[in-house]
Amino acid sequence: MSDPTGQYEVTMFSDTLETARVHLEVGSQVVIGVEATMEADQLKLLARSVVPIDDIVADAGASGLRVFVDSDAALTPVLTILQNAARDKVRGGRGPIIFTVDTGGDLGEVDIALDDEYPVNPQIKGALRSLGGVVEVQEI
């Protein structure tokens, strides 16, 4: 195997290999749980588990989002993305969503919290950031 620091050897027993084989392709990004031992001043790695990095990130735990918008017109596209993600059962922790709208008047910023929790993962955060009217997306 290799990473940005170089190449290294990982031993894997057949039972682990059988369950991990689908994830072990050139260019795959995986997280490998290993048992590390020193033998004759050489580090030996024995693989115990292999999981795609996307699964690790998606299951990293629920966190919510604060979505800063510059007008209430931006709320509908954001809600559409969140509702579609919930409908499609997108992987990821579920968390609360809070909109922060700058009223531009005496009220300043107003927070609007949604009643339901929605899937939150890096892809959803990126999709929200790309929408017109969304100023910033923060984890809470």
Side-chain angles (χ1 to χ4, degrees):
M1 301 187 139
S2 66
D3 66 12
T5 64
Q7 293 185 349
Y8 49 93
E9 184 176 307
V10 178
T11 303
M12 189 175 300
F13 290 126
S14 60
D15 58 331
T16 305
L17 177 60
E18 191 60 36
T19 59
R21 186 179 307 274
V22 68
H23 307 300
L24 297 175
E25 296 180 12
V26 174
S28 294
Q29 296 181 347
V30 295
V31 175
I32 301 178
V34 298
E35 180 180 318
T37 57
M38 289 297 288
E39 292 180 17
D41 292 330
Q42 187 175 10
L43 180 64
K44 299 285 186 173
L45 301 174
L46 175 61
R48 295 294 186 188
S49 64
V50 179
V51 181
I53 197 165
D54 289 341
D55 290 357
I56 299 293
V57 171
D59 294 335
S63 64
L65 296 177
R66 179 177 302 275
V67 182
F68 293 85
V69 296
D70 60 10
S71 71
D72 58 354
L75 299 178
T76 301
V78 171
L79 279 171
T80 300
I81 287 176
L82 294 172
Q83 290 169 341
N84 288 344
R87 180 195 69 218
D88 297 340
K89 297 182 172 116
V90 169
R91 288 192 61 149
R94 296 180 65 84
I97 306 296
I98 300 172
F99 290 107
T100 300
V101 183
D102 186 359
T103 64
D106 293 336
L107 295 175
E109 292 183 341
V110 175
D111 287 343
I112 303 166
L114 299 180
D115 290 335
D116 292 330
E117 291 188 341
Y118 291 89
V120 176
N121 64 30
Q123 291 79 15
I124 291 173
K125 288 186 267 186
L128 296 180
R129 283 187 184 111
S130 71
L131 293 173
V134 173
V135 178
E136 186 177 355
V137 179
Q138 295 178 347
E139 287 188 28
I140 54 173

